[in-house]
Amino acid sequence: MFFVKINRFAEKIGSSLISFLEEAGKILLLLVSSIMWLFRRPFRIKVILKQMEFVGVNSISIVLITGAFSGMVFALQTFYGFRMFGGESLVGAIVALALTREIGPVFTALMVTGRAGSAMAAEIGTMRVTEQIDALYTMSVNPIQYLVTPRILAGIIMLPLLTIIADFLGVIGGYIVGVKLMGINHGIFMAKIYALVNPSDIYEGLIKSACFGLLLSLIGCYKGFYTKGGAEGVGKATTEAVVLASVCILVSDYILTAIMLK
């Protein structure tokens, strides 16, 4: 009986591992195919611009709110923590460093995943279950070039731009809390930012955000492209896309941070 349970446990582990590798292989193949179609005619500029508007421009409002209040909350927490040992002057620099390195890229990616990544999975999934993707094949239109490549390109381009907005608004929010509400000297607040924040902190955060844009758009497209089971399947694919993309963003954030800090 004991060995039967061990065998069943081993079968479950093996089955889960095979499913994981199969899914990872499909995602990788979708990425390679979308890159190859990027350099083949016809170049669908209008479709790409439309997706850039959907991913970037339509996400500005939530990024503005997220960035500003993240900076304000972080400044408030940092001020009361640093005041215990007289380090209030460092609040501005710490807020700016945290925003450019971590908070800005990660929070922006998570917000865009919830709004645009889920919409990608739902839209492409609906096209799959209603056989519109099959119709594209009959019209000699490759669905990967038409549906997947523009969305991935839009994610890679627009996430860094959204992150810049989030970083800027976050620093302004930190300034309002630190200088206007808590009374930190304006000159000291700004001088510490100039002294301690390097250009490398900013562009490393932007590299991260480009990677996050790739992940959220690729996973959203993948879940939608392989949707099964009608309307219920579309809902399941949308949820899975948000969960998987969010987890991948957080895991990849640690990996990228570890690489960049070496």
Side-chain angles (χ1 to χ4, degrees):
M1 189 65 183
F2 175 75
F3 290 105
V4 172
K5 289 184 178 179
I6 292 293
N7 285 333
R8 287 177 181 172
F9 179 74
E11 286 177 0
K12 286 183 180 178
I13 296 294
S15 178
S16 299
L17 182 61
I18 290 171
S19 298
F20 171 77
L21 292 175
E22 184 180 0
E23 194 162 26
K26 284 183 178 179
I27 293 174
L28 184 60
L29 284 175
L30 186 64
L31 175 61
V32 172
S33 297
S34 63
I35 292 173
M36 291 175 64
W37 279 106
L38 178 63
F39 301 102
R40 297 178 65 176
R41 292 179 182 275
F43 302 116
R44 304 184 183 280
I45 303 300
K46 287 186 178 178
V47 180
I48 294 172
L49 291 176
K50 184 180 177 183
Q51 291 303 320
M52 289 172 67
E53 179 187 10
F54 175 71
V55 174
V57 178
N58 295 350
S59 300
I60 287 178
S61 57
I62 58 170
V63 170
L64 288 175
I65 296 171
T66 305
F69 280 93
S70 298
M72 293 173 74
V73 170
F74 198 73
L76 199 59
Q77 291 280 9
T78 309
F79 176 82
Y80 283 109
F82 281 16
R83 192 173 62 173
M84 291 188 289
F85 51 88
E88 299 97 320
S89 62
L90 292 172
V91 168
I94 297 302
V95 169
L97 283 172
L99 282 165
T100 53
R101 287 182 176 179
E102 294 297 333
I103 296 176
V106 172
F107 278 22
T108 301
L110 293 177
M111 290 297 107
V112 177
T113 297
R115 199 198 70 78
S118 60
M120 290 178 191
E123 185 180 1
I124 298 177
T126 302
M127 293 181 71
R128 168 63 74 186
V129 300
T130 55
E131 300 182 349
Q132 294 180 57
I133 291 180
D134 297 328
L136 289 176
Y137 281 114
T138 62
M139 293 187 293
S140 300
V141 176
N142 186 281
I144 293 177
Q145 185 191 28
Y146 186 72
L147 298 174
V148 180
T149 301
R151 286 169 171 79
I152 291 177
L153 195 59
I156 294 173
I157 294 173
M158 298 311 293
L159 257 291
L161 298 178
L162 291 172
T163 300
I164 291 173
I165 295 173
D167 291 348
F168 182 70
L169 264 293
V171 172
I172 290 178
Y175 177 87
I176 292 171
V177 171
V179 176
K180 300 298 181 182
L181 298 182
M182 297 300 165
I184 300 174
N185 180 271
H186 163 79
I188 293 175
F189 187 94
M190 299 304 297
K192 292 295 182 183
I193 292 178
Y194 290 132
L196 297 179
V197 179
N198 297 313
S200 61
D201 298 316
I202 298 172
Y203 71 68
E204 285 177 1
L206 298 182
I207 292 172
K208 281 184 180 180
S209 63
C211 295
F212 298 157
L214 168 64
L215 284 173
L216 74 90
S217 55
L218 176 62
I219 292 172
C221 292
Y222 164 75
K223 287 295 182 183
F225 202 78
Y226 290 98
T227 297
K228 297 178 182 176
E232 185 181 352
V234 174
K236 185 179 178 183
T238 304
T239 304
E240 289 178 351
V242 174
V243 173
L244 182 60
S246 300
V247 171
C248 288
I249 286 168
L250 295 175
V251 172
S252 64
D253 180 45
Y254 173 79
I255 296 171
L256 290 170
T257 301
I259 293 172
M260 290 174 179
L261 288 178
K262 284 185 178 179

